Amino acid sequence: MTDYVNQLGVDPLRTGPLPEEAAVAVWSLDTRLDVVGGLPVAEAARVLDAGELKQAELKYRPADRHRYTASHIGLRVLLGGHLGLAPADVVLVREDCPGCAGPHGRPAVAGGGVHFSLSHSGDVAYVALAPVPVGVDIEEFPSAGAVADVLDDLHPAETAELTALPEADRRSALARVWSRKEACLKGIGTGIGLGIVEPYVGSGPAPAAVPDWLLTDLPAPTGYAAAVAVRA
């Protein structure tokens, strides 16, 4: 596993070898950048595929379009660097959903070579690369209203833990729970579509053990929580 987060900035990327066994390479990115890994965000049409460009156009706010575009350029820069491909030549597909076998499971690289996960929240994106299924998530601390909205949708033990905390501590605790849970669900490939009760990940300083997954918290900017899960 890893407790270190690399920084992807404006300069072209120089990558090392792919992680081995259960090791994970995690990168963070400021999605407000105008240049990512040497590629201008304004020239995204030369890098992203049709599906990514369509998703970007669906973002109503220009700032949200920029964040989405920057994070996906960053993903392609990282994948291309590790696979020896130009970012535009990385072909992304969807695996079958483990729940219904539909074509909306984990995003993947056509032909394999590396597993990856992308998450963005606020002005920050995280990318995780591993030789086995992996999920990463970063969450900006939610509002007090958001805490109240999802409190009863969590695992009963997590609900009890959060309820026992002073209100001032609940936002950061929920961000920890959500990032840990999302990391696991992204790694599995189901996402939150089947609910957020399982797996139990806990809200304390360290995540609870999750069967078949190695789950760890990651360093994150002030006001954020992040976690990564890799299949054991």
Side-chain angles (χ1 to χ4, degrees):
M1 287 293 287
T2 182
D3 58 4
Y4 177 75
V5 177
N6 303 285
Q7 304 294 317
L8 177 60
V10 301
D11 296 327
L13 180 68
R14 296 180 180 178
T15 58
L18 287 170
E20 296 179 356
E21 299 179 350
V24 183
V26 181
W27 296 76
S28 71
L29 166 68
D30 183 338
T31 55
R32 296 169 296 184
L33 294 175
D34 292 323
V35 178
V36 177
L39 300 175
V41 175
E43 298 178 12
R46 297 171 51 188
V47 182
L48 305 186
D49 64 26
E52 290 168 308
L53 293 172
K54 181 178 179 180
Q55 287 298 315
E57 285 302 315
L58 292 175
K59 307 297 181 185
Y60 178 74
R61 298 175 62 241
D64 290 338
R65 287 197 298 273
H66 188 96
R67 293 185 184 106
Y68 177 91
T69 303
S71 64
H72 281 256
I73 289 176
L75 171 65
R76 285 177 167 275
V77 165
L78 291 166
L79 290 173
H82 283 291
L83 295 171
L85 297 171
D89 292 337
V90 176
V91 179
L92 301 178
V93 296
R94 284 278 185 174
E95 296 179 348
D96 291 340
C97 172
C100 68
H104 47 257
R106 292 189 312 130
V109 176
V114 63
H115 294 267
F116 70 89
S117 181
L118 165 66
S119 175
H120 48 87
S121 180
D123 294 322
V124 184
Y126 273 34
V127 176
L129 306 176
V132 293
V134 63
V136 73
D137 193 66
I138 181 164
E139 295 291 335
E140 195 170 14
F141 288 1
S143 66
V147 174
D149 287 343
V150 304
L151 196 58
D152 293 331
D153 297 327
L154 302 170
H155 189 283
E158 292 162 350
T159 300
E161 291 166 12
L162 290 172
T163 302
L165 291 174
E167 282 197 29
D169 296 334
R170 293 179 186 175
R171 294 173 59 227
S172 58
L174 178 59
R176 285 195 298 272
V177 170
W178 199 275
S179 64
R180 294 167 182 173
K181 206 172 288 268
E182 276 263 41
C184 292
L185 294 175
K186 285 181 176 181
I188 295 168
T190 58
I192 62 174
L194 299 180
I196 55 174
V197 174
E198 299 291 347
Y200 169 73
V201 295
S203 63
V210 177
D212 302 323
W213 291 88
L214 300 175
L215 174 63
T216 187
D217 292 337
L218 293 170
T222 301
Y224 292 82
V228 64
V230 60
R231 183 174 290 171

